[in-house]
Amino acid sequence: MGPLKTIAIIILVISFLTFVAFFGRLPALRNTPIGALHRVIWLHIPGAMRSMDQRLSQGRLSTWMAKAAHTLWNDRHPLVMIFFILLLSVSEILFIPPAWPLMSISDRAITINLVLLPYIFLYASAVTDPGYITPENHAHQMSLYPYDFTIFHPGQKCHTCHLLKPARSKHCSICKHCIAKLDHHCIFINNCVGYRNQHYFLFLLFFTATLTTYATYLGTCLLSGQIRKEIPAWKIGGEGFTWSQYGNIWAWALQEYTRIGAVTLLCFLTSPLIWGLLGYHIYLIWAGTTTNESMKWSDWAAEMADGYAFKRRLSPDRHKDETIEPVWTRWPCDSEQVVLRTEDGMPPRGPHAIGEGGWERVWKLADVENLYDLGFWDNLTDVLRPRYGFRHREHNSNGQAIRSRPSSSGDVAAVADQ
Ligand SMILES: [Zn+2]
Ligand SMILES: [Zn+2]
């Protein structure tokens, strides 16, 4: 048990430090001990090491370390994914063998299924093409989403790929490709999360969160059962015991059943994080946006608050330059606004400004439309069934949606609502 106990403790420490490294810079945690520890890890320790290295090797070691760190952060490599797989499998090896004899048949069946699912979806997220944009598939990628003339404007080229950037795409400097509907590059799957693998990533989060939550529940029940053998009056909630007795009894159980205890504790600590991450992605889907776009929207919010953002009407019947604007085939609606920022806080001028009518200053995000938000269920469908086309939806002159139904030929025909 000695070495396994050490491994269990190392796992706990590493997970805690990983948590601090990833989440310590969140504004909400800035003034907490976690924020302070984050600064120690990322600022003070590297600073102290640099000044020591300056004295010992005139900075040669730091130059080498900076290069290695640059490679680690900017190149595709499976280091973090291997860490993730090890964390999963070592925890399972620690937990399952001692827990197996104590588990009921149904516990065992659930465990086998839940253990497999994160691996399956990790594999699917990691090996699926997230939506690489190549010269061969560029025309198709351009047809996925229309430009919203707010966060995505037509005619912009990727400087690396030398291709026009389709709406909602972004170049990933780690994958060295433009990716369709890029959400973010995820180091845990060593791949981008984009148009074609976003659903696998969501399932990975969901089943990993379910696994850790189930392990927390199962571990607590099993340990409680073992405590009851020693103390027949024991209940999970600790009724009839003082706080210190309660703490001591759990401490005894954790020591006596270190392997189950350490993994249960680890799962208890990590479950809220994974559910939180899944919740954040569900929120993004609800809002009809992606991690990448949410950053663009928050930049816009700042521009608007400063009074530098303007919008005006964009006619859906306007003449489109098809060399830069795609003929999109899936999305049910077209942008009816153009939103621009100006350097001087004055309305946009010049003959090139697109749109019609006067410019209206916008002060907040609520005043502009998000073209990519069709409502939660349609947004979710777009994520879960990435090849699905939506029925066309048009707007009348008052901006009210006109409901549509497929015509008998399979095309779409607009029918006025009301
Ligand atoms: Zn690119
Ligand atoms: Zn990437």
Side-chain angles (χ1 to χ4, degrees):
M1 289 301 140
L4 283 173
K5 207 173 191 174
T6 318
I7 291 175
I9 292 167
I10 291 173
I11 285 186
L12 269 182
V13 173
I14 291 179
S15 342
F16 178 68
L17 290 179
T18 311
F19 169 74
V20 172
F22 277 99
F23 296 97
R25 68 172 174 184
L26 290 179
L29 296 174
R30 196 167 291 151
N31 296 319
T32 64
I34 291 180
L37 193 57
H38 179 264
R39 286 191 290 280
V40 169
I41 294 174
W42 290 102
L43 294 175
H44 302 314
I45 294 180
M49 280 170 63
R50 261 197 305 277
S51 65
M52 201 156 75
D53 177 45
Q54 205 62 42
R55 253 176 266 150
L56 295 175
S57 75
Q58 281 81 46
R60 271 193 292 269
L61 188 66
S62 344
T63 315
W64 181 84
M65 295 259 289
K67 262 191 203 160
H70 185 268
T71 311
L72 276 181
W73 280 117
N74 294 286
D75 279 328
R76 227 178 138 183
H77 60 82
L79 213 66
V80 179
M81 187 168 75
I82 292 170
F83 166 73
F84 177 47
I85 295 172
L86 278 177
L87 196 62
L88 269 178
S89 42
V90 172
S91 302
E92 284 153 8
I93 292 167
L94 283 172
F95 186 95
I96 297 173
W100 195 258
L102 311 173
M103 281 153 71
S104 67
I105 301 286
S106 60
D107 285 340
R108 289 175 186 174
I110 296 171
T111 302
I112 291 171
N113 284 298
L114 280 184
V115 159
L116 290 176
L117 286 164
Y119 292 112
I120 293 170
F121 285 104
L122 173 62
Y123 178 79
S125 326
V127 302
T128 305
D129 163 6
Y132 291 133
I133 297 170
T134 62
E136 291 72 35
N137 67 21
H138 185 254
H140 168 70
Q141 305 284 12
M142 291 287 278
S143 72
L144 296 179
Y145 297 98
Y147 291 101
D148 68 348
F149 290 84
T150 304
I151 52 175
F152 296 104
H153 292 266
Q156 292 175 348
K157 252 188 186 175
C158 170
H159 298 302
T160 315
C161 307
H162 305 295
L163 293 169
L164 281 175
K165 287 181 180 179
R168 309 195 84 177
S169 71
K170 187 181 188 290
H171 185 86
C172 172
S173 58
I174 300 170
C175 296
K176 322 253 183 296
H177 265 289
C178 275
I179 313 284
K181 197 194 182 190
L182 177 74
D183 189 276
H184 69 291
H185 181 92
C186 175
I187 50 175
F188 284 91
I189 63 170
N190 188 32
N191 199 2
C192 269
V193 177
Y195 181 67
R196 289 169 56 102
N197 67 344
Q198 199 185 355
H199 52 313
Y200 292 139
F201 179 73
L202 287 178
F203 284 123
L204 170 66
L205 286 180
F206 176 75
F207 286 116
T208 310
T210 309
L211 173 69
T212 55
T213 307
Y214 182 69
T216 308
Y217 161 78
L218 184 64
T220 312
C221 290
L222 295 180
L223 291 183
S224 211
Q226 295 314 105
I227 296 173
R228 208 169 295 121
K229 283 187 184 162
E230 306 289 327
I231 311 165
W234 171 258
K235 288 197 184 81
I236 277 189
E239 293 92 339
F241 293 88
T242 65
W243 277 106
S244 82
Q245 283 173 329
Y246 188 67
N248 284 338
I249 291 171
W250 273 119
W252 169 83
L254 284 175
Q255 265 207 329
E256 202 68 11
Y257 299 91
T258 315
R259 290 171 60 168
I260 300 177
V263 177
T264 306
L265 203 57
L266 171 66
C267 290
F268 174 70
L269 292 174
T270 49
S271 296
L273 288 180
I274 312 169
W275 283 117
L277 207 56
L278 178 66
Y280 174 64
H281 278 272
I282 300 285
Y283 159 76
L284 289 178
I285 293 170
W286 172 80
T289 183
T290 62
T291 306
N292 171 44
E293 288 162 23
S294 70
M295 289 190 273
K296 291 178 186 285
W297 284 118
S298 64
D299 288 347
W300 262 126
E303 300 282 358
M304 287 174 187
D306 290 344
Y308 285 62
F310 297 86
K311 73 167 179 181
R312 73 173 170 180
R313 201 181 124 72
L314 193 62
S315 167
D317 310 320
R318 71 186 189 281
H319 170 73
K320 286 184 187 172
D321 178 356
E322 285 186 10
T323 56
I324 56 168
E325 257 201 89
V327 179
W328 39 266
T329 50
R330 285 172 66 252
W331 210 244
C333 39
D334 208 345
S335 182
E336 291 180 15
Q337 75 187 10
V338 51
V339 184
L340 292 176
R341 74 176 291 275
T342 57
E343 297 291 337
D344 55 4
M346 298 299 286
R349 292 174 296 271
H352 302 299
I354 189 171
E356 56 197 45
W359 290 97
E360 183 189 335
R361 202 187 293 267
V362 275
W363 292 104
K364 53 187 192 302
L365 285 179
D367 296 337
V368 298
E369 288 251 349
N370 177 8
L371 179 65
Y372 308 121
D373 180 15
L374 299 177
F376 180 71
W377 293 110
D378 278 347
N379 296 347
L380 188 66
T381 306
D382 186 42
V383 170
L384 297 181
R385 295 175 60 193
R387 281 172 208 83
Y388 181 72
F390 292 92
R391 290 180 296 181
H392 276 257
R393 213 180 285 181
E394 291 178 3
H395 291 78
N396 61 23
S397 54
N398 301 324
Q400 286 169 312
I402 295 175
R403 200 177 284 158
S404 60
R405 59 172 167 76
S407 70
S408 52
S409 66
D411 286 339
V412 285
V415 178
D417 201 7
Q418 297 165 352

